[in-house]
């Protein structure tokens, strides 16, 4: 029996979902093709509304739609794509319940994996900055912000910590950065009223942007309007300011200035999915895949590249901007051309110029650049923004939910529930800058550290006089004494050369130490050595590092 041609779509964002929708239309008209879509999650995220999850203006589930309901004729694989073999025409996805490889052969492949916020090479950002791309990011950030406010409201002794907890920094003054900072600002300032221990004047919301004005994507007049309105609502806008590094306590700017904070969000820099880097396909600016105006990856007739992971030329030759509206139109052209290729028919050309640009600024205001060069700002722009996105949301059920959430938001105060989803975070990594304290003498011992790179010194204070007990180098463990002895830290560890450390929380360390006698013994030998004067010689029964 002749196999149906199989179209495999990688990525269930705007590009992938709309390509599958168009292909399903062709199937409904009698086209005999098999559509497979691989996506990490079983839902589609409507990213333009994601910032509203921070404030809870709309429900967490209102920005997502289950893919199976959107695409009833598509075979959905909720998996991670792990490998793409263009020569053998195969896609390999991550294992499911059983660890066996899962291989999907294809006749046509649609690459629609979007972009990733990639902090590689930026000191401390992978460990300490919040990205903002998917539902998990939005939820994490919301939970973290509520936790920071809860902590600040009861932190009455440590002024520095209180300042860090009440300062929120967003890096990137493009559309997503501006929308995030606007929502964050509205949310934090509104809910702060529910905390008797917080003075709103202590709250600091900062937007960092490398350019001369925020929103370089829109006309200057609108960008200045946005700038002015955000500043009036209390957002501190730092232009020509580049974020260079981060620690768990501060955002570090180029030039050395630091902003004390426990909350740093970065919407930049964005790159195509790392999987695509390894493919033998032509790449353009920012490592995105080069596509032609038929949406074929350069040099291929069976591989299609669209959405944020591709450089797709517009009519005038300039690359399409990475927006949902472009991804949707590219998806329609690609789907049409896949079917046309199967029948040897003429291909269609991508010919979309964009319908305008819009960005929400919170507090019922927005900016919009509409077709025909019409520029609108303020409440009217906000109303247009909401109406357009409501219509664009896939499915009537979602639209109804969002419309009612928006209506209720006009009457009710912002939702302040912190959804604690996970237990322990397991092994994590942290970055420290010179001068930063990893922990202080007298702190509770809550974790063990392994130095991966950089250096730190151990200092003990006796009757106000500090003495250096030793130096920590890559490969050294520290922090275990206070955990094994169930005591407080017996010394202060201070970073002296930019340091990355692996962190094992107390609960995991205790399980390992209790069940791996060799591990416990090796830590005890290190402790003995330190007590005996070798190495740092810190500790004692009551206070330990
Ligand atoms: C906060 C924010 C606000 C925005 N606001 C607007 C706006 O107002 N207007 C506008 O036009 N655009 C907006 N955008 C941009 C728009 O959302 C993107 O241009 C659009 O989502 C691109 O679609 P895509 O399909 O290429 O990528 P994405 O939508 O990012 O989809 C990529 C998909 O691939 C999946 N994936 C990635 N890696 C793997 C893997 N290894 N295995 C399986 N699946 C994988 C992801 O889970 C995701 O579902 C906004 C973006 C953000 C982040």
């Amino acid at each position: 029996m002749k196999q149906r041609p199989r179209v495999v779509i990688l990525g269930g964002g705007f590009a992938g979902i709309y390509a599958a929708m168009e292909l399903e239309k062709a199937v409904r008209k009698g086209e005999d093709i098999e559509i497979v879509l691989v996506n990490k999650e079983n839902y589609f995220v409507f990213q333009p509304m994601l910032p509203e999850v921070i404030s809870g203006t709309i429900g967490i589930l209102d920005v997502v739609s289950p893919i199976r309901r959107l695409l009833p004729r598509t075979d959905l694989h909720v998996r991670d794509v792990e490998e793409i073999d263009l020569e053998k025409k195969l896609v390999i996805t991550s294992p499911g319940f059983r660890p066996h490889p899962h291989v999907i052969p294809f006749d046509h492949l649609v690459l629609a994996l979007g972009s990733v916020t990639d902090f590689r090479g930026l000191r401390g950002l992978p460990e300490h900055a919040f990205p903002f791309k998917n539902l998990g990011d939005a939820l994490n950030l919301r939970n973290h912000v509520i936790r920071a406010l809860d902590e600040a409201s009861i932190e009455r002794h440590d002024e520095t910590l209180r300042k860090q907890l009440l300062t929120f920094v967003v890096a990137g003054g493009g559309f997503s950065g501006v929308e995030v900072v606007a929502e964050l600002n509205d949310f934090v300032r509104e809910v702060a009223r529910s905390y008797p221990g917080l003075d709103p004047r202590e709250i600091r919301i900062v937007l960092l942007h490398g350019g001369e004005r925020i929103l370089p994507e829109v006309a200057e007049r609108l960008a200045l309007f946005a700038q002015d309105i955000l500043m009036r609502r209390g957002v501190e806008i730092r232009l020509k300011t580049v974020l260079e590094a981060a620690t768990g306590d501060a955002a570090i700017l180029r030039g050395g200035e630091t902003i004390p904070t426990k909350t740093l969000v970065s919407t930049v820099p964005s790159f195509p999915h790392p999987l695509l880097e390894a493919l033998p396909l032509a790449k353009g600016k920012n490592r995105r895949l080069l596509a032609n105006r038929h949406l074929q990856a350069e040099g291929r007739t069976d591989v299609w590249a669209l959405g944020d992971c591709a450089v797709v030329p517009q009519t005038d030759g300039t690359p399409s901007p990475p927006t949902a509206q472009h991804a949707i139109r590219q998806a329609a052209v690609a789907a049409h051309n896949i079917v046309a290729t199967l029948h040897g028919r003429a291909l269609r050309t991508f010919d979309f110029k964009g319908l305008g640009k819009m960005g929400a600024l919170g507090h019922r205001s927005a900016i919009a650049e509409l077709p025909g060069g019409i520029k609108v700002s303020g409440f009217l722009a906000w109303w247009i923004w909401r109406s357009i996105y409501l219509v664009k949301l896939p499915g009537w059920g979602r639209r109804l939910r969002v419309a009612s959430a928006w209506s209720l938001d006009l009457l009710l105060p912002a939702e302040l529930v912190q959804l604690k989803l996970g237990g322990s975070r397991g092994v994590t990594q942290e970055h420290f800058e010179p001068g930063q304290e990893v922990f202080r003498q007298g702190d509770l011992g809550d974790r063990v550290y392994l130095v991966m790179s950089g250096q730190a010194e151990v200092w003990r204070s006796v009757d106000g006089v500090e003495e250096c007990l030793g130096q920590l180098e890559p490969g050294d463990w520290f922090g275990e004494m206070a955990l094994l002895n169930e005591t407080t830290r017996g010394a202060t560890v201070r970073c002296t050369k930019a340091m990355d450390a692996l962190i094992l929380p107390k609960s995991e360390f205790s399980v390992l130490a209790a069940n791996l006698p060799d591990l416990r013994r090796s830590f005890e030998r290190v402790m003995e050595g330190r007590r005996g004067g070798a190495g740092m010689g810190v500790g004692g029964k009551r206070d330990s590092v």
Side-chain angles (χ1 to χ4, degrees):
M1 198 179 81
K2 191 180 171 294
Q3 289 261 317
R4 288 186 297 162
R6 183 185 288 147
V7 182
V8 175
I9 301 169
L10 305 186
F14 279 96
I17 292 289
Y18 278 83
M21 277 180 176
E22 291 295 323
L23 288 171
E24 283 203 1
K25 275 188 207 163
V27 170
R28 280 203 293 277
K29 284 184 193 154
E31 202 58 52
D32 196 19
I33 51 174
E34 185 185 348
I35 313 163
V36 176
L37 188 136
V38 188
N39 194 50
K40 276 183 190 185
E41 303 88 13
N42 82 342
Y43 53 79
F44 159 70
V45 184
F46 196 80
Q47 285 179 349
M49 285 184 186
L50 206 53
E52 298 197 37
V53 170
I54 304 174
S55 57
T57 311
I58 52 177
I60 292 158
L61 293 182
D62 295 344
V63 279
V64 295
S65 303
I67 295 177
R68 286 187 198 282
R69 295 245 169 88
L70 295 177
L71 302 169
R73 291 180 164 81
T74 299
D75 185 14
L76 172 66
H77 294 228
V78 184
R79 292 273 175 97
D80 271 31
V81 179
E82 290 199 331
E83 209 182 314
I84 303 164
D85 189 332
L86 292 183
E87 211 172 299
K88 295 188 185 137
K89 300 186 84 154
L90 300 172
V91 170
I92 300 170
T93 66
S94 56
F97 280 103
R98 278 193 53 211
H100 60 89
H102 188 79
V103 180
I104 314 170
F106 63 83
D107 296 294
H108 282 267
L109 181 69
V110 178
L111 298 170
L113 287 167
S115 61
V116 290
T117 310
D118 188 350
F119 295 142
R120 272 177 298 172
L122 293 164
R123 280 186 348 262
L125 264 74
E127 296 88 352
H128 301 292
F130 287 87
F132 199 83
K133 272 227 61 99
N134 55 45
L135 187 61
D137 297 338
L139 202 52
N140 275 343
L141 178 62
R142 176 182 159 81
N143 282 342
H144 171 87
V145 168
I146 296 173
R147 181 171 171 223
L149 293 172
D150 284 338
E151 286 293 318
S153 71
I154 50 171
E155 182 51 69
R156 305 210 168 100
H157 306 295
D158 189 335
E159 267 310 305
T160 312
L161 178 57
R162 202 175 153 89
K163 214 178 246 176
Q164 289 165 351
L165 289 165
L166 291 175
T167 303
F168 304 85
V169 181
V170 177
F175 268 119
S176 41
V178 165
E179 289 183 345
V180 167
V181 89
E183 278 294 319
L184 196 61
N185 187 50
D186 284 0
F187 177 60
V188 170
R189 291 188 191 283
E190 185 188 335
V191 298
R193 288 188 230 133
S194 304
Y195 292 83
L198 291 186
D199 179 349
R201 283 169 303 184
E202 289 179 282
I203 294 169
R204 206 178 152 201
I205 314 266
V206 188
L207 175 66
L208 308 175
H209 183 62
E212 305 221 336
R213 65 166 166 99
I214 59 168
L215 295 172
E217 302 94 333
V218 299
E220 187 168 9
R221 180 167 78 75
L222 289 181
L224 294 180
F225 174 85
Q227 224 160 269
D228 182 52
I229 211 158
L230 288 174
M231 278 159 57
R232 271 193 279 133
R233 290 200 194 122
V235 178
E236 213 177 298
I237 299 180
R238 301 282 304 267
L239 298 172
K240 294 192 249 170
T241 306
V242 177
L243 175 71
E244 195 165 75
T247 67
D249 296 336
I252 298 161
L253 312 182
R254 186 176 291 167
E257 186 192 343
T258 63
I259 303 178
T261 182
K262 290 275 177 202
T263 312
L264 170 63
V265 188
S266 180
T267 55
V268 284
S270 189
F271 292 106
H273 199 283
L275 256 180
L276 304 177
E277 274 177 39
L279 290 183
L281 293 172
K283 319 269 172 7
K285 205 170 160 233
N286 285 342
R287 315 199 291 260
R288 287 157 76 195
L289 297 172
L290 278 183
N292 60 26
R293 288 184 60 205
H294 301 311
L295 277 312
Q296 291 158 319
E298 283 289 350
R300 301 284 302 215
T301 52
D302 57 346
V303 180
W304 309 78
L306 39 150
D308 284 8
C309 70
V311 184
V312 181
Q314 304 182 94
T315 327
D316 61 3
T318 58
S320 309
T323 71
Q325 48 172 315
H326 287 83
I328 292 171
R329 271 57 176 209
Q330 289 164 8
V333 175
H336 174 275
N337 287 347
I338 290 170
V339 176
T341 307
L342 291 171
H343 293 286
R345 293 198 294 253
L347 303 187
R348 199 185 276 171
T349 305
F350 176 67
D351 193 13
F352 175 67
K353 295 185 189 70
L355 291 176
K357 295 161 191 159
M358 286 184 293
L361 302 173
H363 257 67
R364 280 162 231 145
S365 69
I367 45 160
E369 248 178 35
L370 303 174
I374 301 165
K375 297 176 185 59
V376 196
S377 55
F379 179 80
L380 180 61
W382 175 80
W383 188 82
I384 296 171
W385 180 91
R386 284 219 153 167
S387 311
I388 289 181
Y389 282 122
L390 200 58
V391 173
K392 294 262 175 234
L393 261 178
W396 276 104
R398 270 320 123 184
R399 280 176 217 153
L400 211 59
R401 277 178 223 256
V402 169
S404 52
W406 279 344
S407 313
L408 287 174
D409 179 56
L410 297 174
L411 306 169
L412 302 175
E415 185 55 77
L416 189 49
V417 169
Q418 182 200 19
L419 280 180
K420 281 196 175 170
L421 296 177
S424 163
R425 293 181 64 205
V427 178
T428 52
Q429 198 173 311
E430 279 195 25
H431 177 80
F432 300 90
E433 286 284 304
Q436 191 186 348
E437 284 173 353
V438 179
F439 52 73
R440 275 185 219 161
Q441 189 173 337
D443 282 354
L444 293 177
D446 59 347
R447 40 192 31 210
V448 172
Y449 300 77
L450 170 70
V451 182
M452 295 162 67
S453 62
Q455 262 170 12
E457 283 176 354
V458 184
W459 288 80
R460 168 180 275 178
S461 165
V462 181
D463 299 330
V465 180
E466 277 214 319
E467 179 196 0
C468 182
L469 302 176
Q471 191 159 292
L472 294 159
E473 305 275 350
D476 283 342
W477 286 98
F478 65 98
E480 77 289 348
M481 293 175 87
L483 263 66
L484 289 171
N485 292 336
E486 301 273 343
T487 57
T488 52
R489 303 287 187 197
T492 297
V493 172
R494 200 169 291 130
C495 172
T496 47
K497 187 172 156 195
M499 180 175 83
D500 289 309
L502 275 188
I503 318 284
L504 188 60
K506 183 178 179 176
S507 50
E508 277 80 351
F509 177 73
S510 306
V511 173
L512 288 175
N515 292 292
L516 293 172
D518 285 351
L519 181 85
R520 187 178 177 97
R521 271 194 292 277
S522 87
F523 274 113
E524 281 169 350
R525 273 198 299 275
V526 175
M527 281 164 56
E528 279 309 312
R530 288 179 184 167
R531 281 198 198 106
M536 287 173 285
V538 291
K541 205 57 190 139
R542 262 196 52 72
D543 302 322
S544 313
V545 169

